């Protein structure tokens, strides 16, 4: 296998998506590896998940910085020091500035628990549930300067059944996320994504 894609993962909480990515990276043929995990919250369980796998994990709290710019400068420095090729937002609960996004242009991926452009922002699962949708889903997209507006890489629908509850829907969505996010990372790492405007074309594996 050629050189593995180096991932820097930003988290804020539980880290179940981080776990799915770490597990995927454990497979011999997976073309990426997690170089470091950064949480803006010291209590994030995601940090423990990373350390358990022997991955460098640190806390960079936005509260310790006088401005968003200085907070992001620290993130950028840590990601650059680790020579990451791709930045992964796995439940990272801070909005990134256009400056940060431009620094890693086209190299930041996010997972969103709805079929974008429906229900952007936080609480997407609950909002879709309250709206009474019959179908919702998961989106993995490239991060641009807007909120959940970047070009879509993969989407998968989740159909609500008659006995669905908010809790069961959350479970279904998370299990799709845990499959779809590593799949999108694989496509990126294998150089199979080509963008034409907003549209992602997925090429054959070389
Ligand atoms: C996921 O539902 C993801 O779609 C959203 O934040 C949640 C993070 O969950 N962006 P976890 O920390 O990966 O468990």
């Amino acid at each position: 296998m050629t050189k593995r894609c180096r991932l820097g993962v930003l988290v804020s909480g539980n880290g179940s998506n981080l776990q799915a990515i770490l597990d995927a990276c454990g497979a011999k043929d997976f073309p990426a590896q997690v170089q470091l995990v950064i949480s803006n919250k010291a209590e994030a369980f995601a940090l423990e998940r990373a350390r358990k796998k022997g991955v460098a994990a640190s806390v960079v709290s936005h509260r310790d910085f006088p401005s968003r710019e200085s907070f992001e400068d620290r993130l950028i420095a840590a990601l650059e020091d680790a020579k990451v090729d791709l930045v992964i937002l796995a439940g990272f609960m801070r909005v990134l500035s256009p400056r940060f996004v431009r620094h890693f242009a086209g190299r930041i991926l996010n997972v969103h628990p709805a079929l974008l452009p429906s229900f952007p922002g936080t609480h997407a699962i609950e909002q879709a549930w309250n709206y009474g949708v019959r179908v919702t889903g998961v989106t993995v997209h490239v991060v641009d300067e807007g909120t959940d507006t970047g070009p879509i890489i993969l989407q998968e629908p989740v159909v609500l059944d008659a006995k669905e509850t908010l809790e069961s829907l959350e479970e279904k969505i998370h299990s799709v996320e845990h499959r779809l996010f590593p799949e999108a990372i694989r496509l990126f790492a294998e150089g199979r994504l080509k963008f034409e405007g907003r549209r992602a074309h997925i090429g054959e594996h070389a």
Side-chain angles (χ1 to χ4, degrees):
M1 189 165 62
T2 48
K3 190 180 145 288
R4 285 183 158 204
C5 179
R6 298 166 70 91
L7 309 178
V9 185
L10 304 185
V11 296
S12 298
N14 177 26
S16 66
N17 280 285
L18 168 68
Q19 187 71 55
I21 293 164
L22 289 167
D23 291 346
C25 290
K28 262 212 197 97
D29 69 336
F30 197 76
Q33 67 194 27
V34 179
Q35 290 304 127
L36 89 162
V37 171
I38 303 175
S39 172
N40 67 314
K41 296 249 169 94
E43 68 277 15
F45 184 59
L47 291 164
E48 231 168 276
R49 296 182 189 266
R51 288 174 187 145
K52 225 177 178 169
K53 290 270 186 182
V55 169
S58 58
V59 179
V60 179
S61 170
H62 54 283
R63 294 183 199 282
D64 295 340
F65 294 86
S67 63
R68 183 157 78 162
E69 203 173 35
S70 53
F71 165 61
E72 290 184 351
D73 279 345
R74 178 63 66 82
L75 294 181
I76 291 171
L79 292 163
E80 290 295 359
D81 279 352
K83 298 186 171 49
V84 309
D85 301 306
L86 182 62
V87 179
I88 300 295
L89 307 185
F92 184 63
M93 299 307 283
R94 305 295 299 174
V95 173
L96 293 165
S97 72
R99 193 170 136 268
F100 183 98
V101 172
R102 280 197 291 268
H103 187 97
F104 294 103
R107 297 192 293 133
I108 310 173
L109 304 190
N110 182 44
V111 66
H112 185 75
L115 291 178
L116 291 170
S118 290
F119 308 110
T122 42
H123 312 301
I125 304 177
E126 209 177 334
Q127 283 171 7
W129 170 258
N130 290 338
Y131 198 87
V133 299
R134 296 265 180 198
V135 180
T136 178
V138 172
T139 304
V140 181
H141 65 94
V142 178
V143 173
D144 69 2
E145 294 180 21
T147 302
D148 300 325
T149 53
I152 291 166
I153 299 172
L154 294 174
Q155 281 188 309
E156 189 172 307
V158 170
V159 177
L160 282 74
D161 60 42
K163 295 209 176 110
E164 205 73 59
T165 62
L166 175 57
E167 291 68 35
S168 65
L169 179 62
E170 281 170 344
E171 249 176 63
K172 276 184 181 173
I173 288 197
H174 292 316
S175 75
V176 172
E177 288 184 325
H178 299 160
R179 190 164 33 75
L180 221 60
F181 211 1
E183 202 178 315
I185 292 168
R186 172 189 285 281
L187 293 173
F188 182 98
E190 290 176 347
R192 293 169 60 189
L193 297 172
K194 296 274 172 296
F195 292 90
E196 196 184 337
R198 293 194 52 83
R199 191 166 306 281
H201 295 283
I202 299 175
E204 292 295 309
H205 191 195

